[in-house]
């Protein structure tokens, strides 16, 4: 695959990107109240604890919402492509691409599973596809 724009990696998100390189989808669990959260952040929005640990998500979920961007066109994207908000089985939501499906067949609530795509520049991204 062609190179992609590199993500901005911070001290708070490094565990997430390292997990993708190991083909693991990691989310945060608060050390204070146990709440799961994504995107990564230093403080729990529920109890304000700064303690957290990374836990591996199942990689299964459902399409909560989706869009199909048309403009601006990026040279590293194949059109049409689907950007989906995935609600993981664990209850947190994350943004990813939905692949291996005709855009006309996408429905809110459809079951999806994660897979990992490696790009020429060493970047690994989570992608989702329909279950089965």
């Amino acid at each position: 695959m062609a190179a992609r724009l590199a993500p901005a990696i911070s001290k708070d998100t490094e565990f997430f990107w390292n997990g993708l390189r190991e083909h693991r989808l990691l989310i945060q669990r608060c050390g204070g109240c146990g709440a799961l959260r994504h995107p990564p952040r230093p403080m729990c929005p529920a109890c304000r604890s700064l303690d957290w640990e990374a836990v591996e998500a199942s990689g299964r979920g459902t399409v909560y919402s989706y869009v199909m961007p048309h403009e601006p066109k990026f040279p590293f994207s194949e059109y049409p492509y689907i950007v989906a908000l995935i609600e993981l089985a664990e209850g947190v939501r994350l943004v990813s691409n939905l692949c291996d499906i005709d855009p006309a067949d996408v429905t809110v609530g459809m079951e999806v599973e994660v897979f990992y795509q490696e790009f020429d520049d060493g970047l690994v991204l989570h992608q989702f596809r329909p279950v089965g």
Side-chain angles (χ1 to χ4, degrees), residues 27 44 48 66 70 87 98 100 105 115-116:
I27 55 178
C44 177
R48 298 184 177 212
Y66 66 96
H70 298 285
E87 184 162 12
L98 185 58
D100 300 337
D105 295 333
F115 71 98
Y116 303 91

Side-chain angles (χ1 to χ4, degrees), residues 5 13 19 34 42 44 55 74 78 84 92 95 99 101 113 120-121 128:
L5 296 175
T13 64
C44 177
V55 295
F74 295 108
E78 295 177 21
V92 299
V95 175
C99 305
I101 186 169
E113 63 188 356
D120 288 343
D121 55 3
F128 283 81

Side-chain angles (χ1 to χ4, degrees), residues 5 26-27 32-33 37 40 55 61 72 80 86 95 104 106 119 122 126:
L5 296 175
L26 300 177
I27 55 178
C33 68
R37 66 182 186 252
V55 295
I86 305 298
V95 175
V106 178
F119 296 87
H126 54 60

Side-chain angles (χ1 to χ4, degrees), residues 1-2 6-7 11 13 21 23 26 32 36 42 58 62 66 68 72 82 84 102 108 111 117:
M1 294 288 306
K11 187 171 73 170
T13 64
R21 282 197 270 298
H23 292 196
L26 300 177
L36 297 174
S58 66
T62 58
Y66 66 96
M68 288 180 283
I82 305 161
D102 185 296
V108 170
E111 293 184 14
Q117 190 169 13

Side-chain angles (χ1 to χ4, degrees), residues 6 14 54 84 118:
E14 184 176 30
E118 297 183 26

